[in-house]
Amino acid sequence: MAEVHVLRPPTVWDAVIVGAGLCGLALAHRLVARGQRVQLLEARGRIGGRVLTQTCEATGQPLDLGPSWYWPETEPHMVALLASLGLESFAQHDPGDALWLTDPNRSPERRIEAGGVHAGARRIAGGSATLTEALFKALPEGSVITGSALIGLRDHGESVELLRTGGPSLRARRVVLALPPRLVQERVAFDPPLHEAVDQALKDTPTWMAAQAKAVVSFATPFWRDAGHSGNAFVRHPQAVLGEVYDQSPSNGAAGGALGGFVALDASQREHFRVGLPLLIESQLAQLYGIEAQSGQLALQDWALERWTCSEADRAEPPAWPQADPLLRRGHWGGRLWFGSTETSTHGAGHMEGALASADRIAHALLAPASAATQTSDQATAIADFAAGVQRLRALAGERYRQQLVRLLSAQQHEQLTQRALLAAVDQTYSEALTLLDAFAPWSGAGHTEQGRHALTPALLKAFDGWNKALLDDALAHNGTSCALSNFPQDHQPDAELLRAITRDLAAAWREFALELNARLVATPVAQEAA
């Protein structure tokens, strides 16, 4: 009989993580593996947060009503975690034509999208919730308290008290709020209050997809493929109900077929049409794919009605790409308080990758440096190895920029293309550079620092000399010859103002990377306080 590990509550936890979504579960997984006593607090009655998979009663197929995709070429945290948990994935179905419906009184136009719409995206076999369930099952029994919401935090110096609904308060040496920043700002009271700049940063960070709704209609088979359709469709007229449609059928060989779509109506319009919304969705799918599309079963998830996802600010504003203030990636209350969630990540913000990148960042801050026994003894060799690794990453960055452009264009994103693609490429490069640093760093420890800066920081950062300019020059050369960007003058031939904005963005990303690299060289707050 397998041994069951049951969590025995301590008086003071090493860490309490608020939010049992992907970020919170991945962080708990990391901390528990290093012997930390961890408790997760979740307001919902289920785990997963925005990761939500339902099972179709008729066909048994999984239906993702939250995030569905990840991109192996640009999302290394997802690739590594799926491999470590032994989870399978499969390519998003893209072969066939895409449908464009720009006039509600005409038939849709069939187009072949070169390279597909989803640019190499993959899905997790069994649905995205397979990932969160695997992380949950790996934790000791009793690690997660559901149905209990955080309402306040009190800093007692040596520990933080968590005030919650449905039970007595908890105490922890470290608290991680793995929640959308706006929910933290609206729902949690802080004693003492957060600095005004931090409070404003929480308020200003949009929650990705918070006020959106997702519909998935399941069928016995993916019948649209027989007619040469990919399942991808874009509806661009004022009466659109589903703005984008895609094939959400299970992996090859599994029973069933499904079409997923993002509802084009905003939250207030969905309230007005709530009773008739299923019929409107059915009617639009029939206009796209014929009468067979009227025989499906609808699963509808309106995230704007999820009070533990959507803040009042998110309901009141149009959707926006999350760009969190660097303040939200730093420790507060002397390193006892940290902010997580996908929105706080520099790499993959808004995606599952961003949730994992945030978990990785916080895990490094909370855990002591690796023991000397696992570190390279020769600093000169380690510096040279790091520099060689950076050169490999630099060589990949141009292609990664182009991959990000393809993804943005495939998703019909037309705003700030160059900036967003460049920032995504540099953020991935910096994230992987930090992973390189952790792999063979013999330099951790406060004894190597002077006025907060580690003595080896300049030598390691030197590997990036001239990189920002070289990457920008490469990107501009590509833009100038790109047929795909010829319809976007600002990106095809950026003017001086846009170039200045891009340069500022790259410089800000560089500064934050340099600070994080230095922080990882210096002993973590845990190590400092234990000394």
Side-chain angles (χ1 to χ4, degrees):
M1 181 175 179
E3 182 180 358
V4 177
H5 296 280
V6 179
L7 199 62
R8 292 179 174 80
T11 304
V12 179
W13 297 91
D14 291 321
V16 169
I17 302 167
V18 184
L22 181 54
C23 177
L25 289 165
L27 177 58
H29 188 259
R30 290 277 297 275
L31 298 183
V32 167
R34 288 286 296 274
Q36 297 281 297
R37 296 171 301 173
V38 179
Q39 180 76 75
L40 284 92
L41 191 65
E42 171 56 52
R44 291 181 176 89
R46 63 172 179 85
I47 65 161
R50 281 169 279 179
V51 177
L52 178 61
T53 305
Q54 290 186 3
T55 301
C56 174
E57 294 182 0
T59 65
Q61 64 183 302
L63 308 174
D64 281 326
L65 297 172
S68 298
W69 304 300
Y70 77 98
W71 286 263
E73 294 295 328
T74 57
E75 298 187 344
H77 291 94
M78 281 292 293
V79 172
L81 183 59
L82 290 172
S84 71
L85 295 173
L87 299 180
E88 299 293 329
S89 69
F90 61 98
Q92 167 64 29
H93 183 79
D94 259 349
D97 60 43
L99 299 180
W100 284 78
L101 185 60
T102 56
D103 186 333
N105 299 313
R106 295 186 178 183
S107 299
E109 176 189 354
R110 301 177 68 150
R111 298 183 189 175
I112 296 296
E113 301 288 345
V117 168
H118 294 93
R122 296 185 70 82
R123 290 168 46 208
I124 302 171
S128 297
T130 304
L131 177 55
T132 50
E133 288 290 341
L135 289 169
F136 170 71
K137 290 176 182 177
L139 296 175
E141 185 178 342
S143 293
V144 182
I145 300 173
T146 57
S148 182
L150 178 72
I151 57 176
L153 294 175
R154 289 177 183 158
D155 185 14
H156 293 278
E158 294 298 319
S159 65
V160 177
E161 182 181 7
L162 298 93
L163 308 176
R164 64 188 181 98
T165 62
S169 63
L170 303 172
R171 289 258 188 158
R173 295 183 178 87
R174 302 288 185 274
V175 172
V176 179
L177 302 182
L179 306 170
R182 281 181 168 172
L183 283 188
V184 173
Q185 198 272 338
E186 289 186 2
R187 310 280 177 82
V188 182
F190 293 86
D191 181 16
L194 295 174
H195 189 280
E196 183 178 348
V198 177
D199 185 74
Q200 190 64 45
L202 292 167
K203 188 175 182 179
D204 289 344
T205 304
T207 310
W208 186 243
M209 298 297 290
Q212 303 300 302
K214 190 172 182 181
V216 182
V217 182
S218 54
F219 304 91
T221 64
F223 62 85
W224 50 92
R225 297 183 187 178
D226 296 335
H229 299 307
S230 64
N232 298 315
F234 300 92
V235 183
R236 299 290 188 263
H237 60 71
Q239 290 80 46
V241 180
L242 298 177
E244 297 178 17
V245 178
Y246 54 91
D247 189 314
Q248 207 192 85
S249 305
S251 56
N252 291 336
L259 291 168
F262 298 100
V263 180
L265 308 177
D266 64 28
S268 61
Q269 290 172 321
R270 295 196 298 271
E271 287 285 348
H272 182 72
F273 291 104
R274 185 153 305 280
V275 174
L277 194 55
L279 184 60
L280 292 173
I281 291 172
E282 178 183 283
S283 176
Q284 184 175 297
L285 289 179
Q287 187 177 12
L288 290 168
Y289 296 109
I291 194 170
E292 284 184 275
Q294 295 180 321
S295 62
Q297 295 193 20
L298 172 66
L300 179 65
Q301 175 66 19
D302 192 335
W303 289 101
L305 301 179
E306 283 264 347
R307 66 185 306 260
W308 303 118
T309 294
C310 188
S311 69
E312 293 301 321
D314 290 313
R315 282 183 63 93
E317 296 178 5
W321 182 45
Q323 290 179 289
D325 192 299
L327 280 172
L328 301 186
R329 290 186 280 275
R330 302 173 190 167
H332 301 273
W333 287 358
R336 291 179 291 279
L337 174 63
W338 297 82
F339 299 108
S341 88
T342 184
E343 284 78 17
T344 67
S345 178
T346 58
H347 174 59
H351 293 188
M352 291 186 284
E353 175 74 5
L356 297 182
S358 291
D360 179 70
R361 166 179 56 83
I362 297 170
H364 277 286
L366 300 190
L367 294 170
S371 67
T374 65
Q375 298 169 341
T376 305
S377 58
D378 182 357
Q379 287 186 354
T381 300
I383 292 171
D385 288 346
F386 179 78
V390 169
Q391 290 305 312
R392 289 192 295 272
L393 294 176
R394 289 179 61 157
L396 293 171
E399 178 59 28
R400 286 173 170 175
Y401 166 73
R402 292 183 281 277
Q403 289 171 348
Q404 293 290 350
L405 272 182
V406 170
R407 279 181 52 187
L408 290 169
L409 290 168
S410 297
Q412 306 301 310
Q413 302 293 313
H414 301 149
E415 301 295 328
Q416 298 177 308
L417 292 172
T418 302
Q419 287 149 295
R420 291 171 64 179
L422 274 172
L423 284 175
V426 300
D427 288 340
Q428 182 181 355
T429 300
Y430 292 151
S431 176
E432 293 184 14
L434 292 172
T435 300
L436 282 176
L437 183 80
D438 297 332
F440 46 75
W443 34 63
S444 296
H448 297 280
T449 66
E450 183 177 346
Q451 295 183 339
R453 189 173 78 165
H454 198 283
L456 296 179
T457 294
L460 293 169
L461 293 180
K462 187 173 178 60
F464 283 95
D465 281 358
W467 182 54
N468 274 4
K469 184 178 185 307
L471 180 60
L472 179 55
D473 288 346
D474 181 71
L476 294 177
H478 171 75
N479 288 9
T481 59
S482 170
C483 295
L485 292 179
S486 59
N487 294 323
F488 307 98
Q490 272 289 81
D491 293 285
H492 193 58
Q493 297 289 341
D495 59 23
E497 183 179 353
L498 179 57
L499 289 176
R500 283 193 294 271
I502 293 172
T503 301
R504 286 195 300 270
D505 287 346
L506 293 177
W510 164 253
R511 285 193 297 272
E512 187 166 354
F513 165 69
L515 290 171
E516 177 63 18
L517 178 142
N518 184 72
R520 292 196 184 191
L521 295 180
V522 177
T524 66
V526 170
Q528 290 174 353
E529 293 189 13

